[in-house]
Amino acid sequence: MPQHPTPHTPHASHPSHPSHSSHTFDLLVIGDANPDIVLGPLDAPLAFGQREQLVDTGLLTLGGSAAIMACGAARLGLKVALAGRVGDDEAGRFVVAALAARGVDTGAVRLDPTLSTPLTVVVTRGDGDRTILTAPGTLTATGADDVPEALLRDSRHVHAASYFLLPNLAGALPALFRTARAHGATTSLDTNDDPAGAWDAGGSGGLGAVLAVTDFLLPNAREARALAGLPEDAPVAEAARQLAARGPLVAIKDGADGALLHDGRTLFRTPGIPAEPLDTVGAGDSFDAGFVAAMLAARPVPEALELAAVCGALSTRAYGGTPAQATWDEACAALPADSSPSPSPTSDL
C-alpha cells in the first residue's frame, strides 16, 4: 500500500492556520505564469470567416495554473514563492507585478530576454465549459535551472503544475522532488491538460517516475481518467484507485459533484458546497491551494478534501482565476457545520 503523510490533529470546525514554520517558505510552486484574457460567455460556436462575436465580459488577469495556485495559497495565509520563467516584455512584467501584489515572492521568476511571455485566451460558455488557446512562449524553455536549490531546501511543500506544457521541467521533476523530499518537504502535482492527448498513460514515460516521488496528485475527473488510461465514461473512483496504487494520495476535482480522494486504501467523497459560478477558470488551482494549505495545517485528509472543495467553489464568485480566491477564515466559515466526509460505500477497505 502507498505510504502517505499522516496528519495527527483531531477534528475541529475551524482548522488551525496553515502557516506555522521556521522555514522561509511554506510553499514553493513551480510552473507556468502568464496573462489570461478571459472572454465570455459565448453560447454559439466560435465563428471564423472574419466574423465578430460579442460577449458580455472580457478580462485581463493573471493566469497559469502554477500562478493561480500560488496566489490562492498566499490568500490562505501561506508564505509562497514561485519559480518559473516569463519573457522580458510587458506581459512578463504584468505577471511579476500581479504575483507580487497578491503576496507571492517572485525572486525566482526569471525574465527571459529572447522568448516571449506565454499568453492564454480563455473563451467560456454559459454551461461552465471553456476552450483555452495558449501561445507557449517561455514554457518550452523552462527547466531545472529555473528552480533554485535553496528554495527546494527551505520550503515545507513543493507543488508543480502544467506538467504537459513544460517538457523540459517535466523531465527534471523527479530529481527536483527528490531533493525537496530529502530536506523534509512534501510534494504535489497537478498535470492539467495534455494538448497532445498522449497522457503518458500506464506510466511508460517520465510521469511514472514523478508519481513515485509525489505525495499528492491533484487532477480533475477527466484528467484522472486519462492519466489512468481509462475511457471517458469510466467511474472516476476507479481512476482514483488506480492512480493511488502508483504512489500518491489522489484528490480529484469533480465539478458540481464535489471531489473525491483515494489514499491507497479508502475512497472518500465530499459534495463541496452549492455554488452558482460566474466563472470556473482557475477553480481547480484554488482547490489545489486549499488542499495543500489544509495538509500543511495537519488536518485529517478527509477534512483537507472538504476545505479544498470549498476553496474551489468560492473562487468561482468572480471572473478570472484570482479575484475571488478565499481567505482561510472565509474557507473555514463556508465549511458545512456537520463537515466530516465519510468513506464511500465503495471504499476498498
Side-chain angles (χ1 to χ4, degrees), residues 2-5 30 157-161 163 170 172-181 185-191 206-219 227 243-251 262-263 291-292 295:
Q3 297 298 310
H4 302 297
I30 305 170
H157 184 89
V158 177
H159 175 80
Y163 178 86
L173 269 185
L176 294 174
F177 275 11
R178 281 195 295 270
T179 298
R181 286 175 132 205
T186 47
T187 58
S188 58
L189 173 67
D190 187 344
T191 66
L207 186 59
V210 180
L211 294 184
V213 288
T214 297
D215 292 299
F216 317 135
L217 178 65
L218 304 168
L227 289 167
L243 292 170
R246 295 171 63 185
L249 181 153
V250 180
H262 207 296
D263 66 0
F291 188 82
V292 169
M295 293 300 287

Side-chain angles (χ1 to χ4, degrees), residues 34 44-45 63 101 122 135 182 194 208 230 275 303 307:
N34 55 264
V122 181
D194 180 4
L230 297 175
E303 284 186 33
L307 192 132

Side-chain angles (χ1 to χ4, degrees), residues 31 51 53 56 86-87 95 110 120-121 148 150 164 172 175 182 223 246 252 280 287 307 313 336 340-341:
R51 294 184 57 195
Q53 294 171 276
D56 291 339
V86 297
V95 165
R110 178 183 295 185
T120 292
V121 176
F164 296 107
E223 293 159 358
R246 295 171 63 185
I252 299 177
T280 60
F287 174 104
L307 192 132
S340 185

Side-chain angles (χ1 to χ4, degrees), residues 27-330:
L27 171 65
L28 168 63
V29 183
I30 305 170
D32 53 333
N34 55 264
D36 268 359
I37 301 171
V38 184
L39 301 170
L42 180 67
D43 291 320
L46 280 171
F48 289 87
Q50 302 184 50
R51 294 184 57 195
E52 186 164 351
Q53 294 171 276
L54 300 180
V55 294
D56 291 339
T57 303
L59 178 70
L60 172 65
T61 188
L62 180 65
S65 179
I68 295 173
M69 192 276 188
C71 291
R75 180 75 170 155
L76 289 166
L78 297 183
K79 296 178 288 184
V80 183
L82 186 136
R85 186 188 297 218
V86 297
D88 189 5
D89 51 27
E90 287 301 318
R93 286 183 279 277
F94 168 83
V95 165
V96 172
L99 286 165
R102 289 163 175 80
V104 177
D105 187 283
T106 61
V109 178
R110 178 183 295 185
L111 297 179
D112 190 308
T114 60
L115 295 173
S116 62
T117 299
L119 181 63
T120 292
V121 176
V122 181
V123 182
T124 66
R125 294 196 315 198
D127 62 2
D129 199 3
R130 60 187 182 269
T131 188
I132 303 170
L133 305 174
T134 295
T138 56
L139 294 180
T140 56
T142 305
D145 291 345
D146 295 304
V147 185
E149 186 173 342
L151 285 179
L152 295 171
R153 294 196 307 264
D154 206 18
S155 299
R156 297 171 62 202
H157 184 89
V158 177
H159 175 80
S162 298
Y163 178 86
F164 296 107
L165 294 180
L166 298 146
N168 287 337
L169 185 62
L173 269 185
L176 294 174
F177 275 11
R178 281 195 295 270
T179 298
R181 286 175 132 205
H183 292 279
T186 47
T187 58
S188 58
L189 173 67
D190 187 344
T191 66
N192 303 104
D193 190 36
D194 180 4
W199 292 102
D200 193 21
S204 58
L207 186 59
V210 180
L211 294 184
V213 288
T214 297
D215 292 299
F216 317 135
L217 178 65
L218 304 168
N220 65 29
R222 186 182 67 84
E223 293 159 358
R225 293 184 181 98
L227 289 167
L230 297 175
E232 293 183 1
D233 60 352
V236 68
E238 176 60 17
R241 185 192 68 79
Q242 291 193 22
L243 292 170
R246 295 171 63 185
L249 181 153
V250 180
I252 299 177
K253 314 130 190 175
D254 200 13
D257 291 329
L260 63 157
L261 179 149
H262 207 296
D263 66 0
R265 292 181 57 191
T266 306
L267 178 72
F268 295 90
R269 294 182 183 270
T270 181
I273 59 172
E276 296 183 4
L278 282 178
D279 180 13
T280 60
V281 171
D285 307 312
S286 294
F287 174 104
D288 296 350
F291 188 82
V292 169
M295 293 300 287
L296 288 177
R299 302 316 307 155
V301 168
E303 284 186 33
L305 180 71
E306 195 158 53
L307 192 132
V310 165
C311 287
L314 293 179
S315 76
T316 68
R317 296 172 292 176
Y319 291 100
T322 59
Q325 288 178 315
T327 65
W328 184 256
D329 288 343
E330 286 175 332

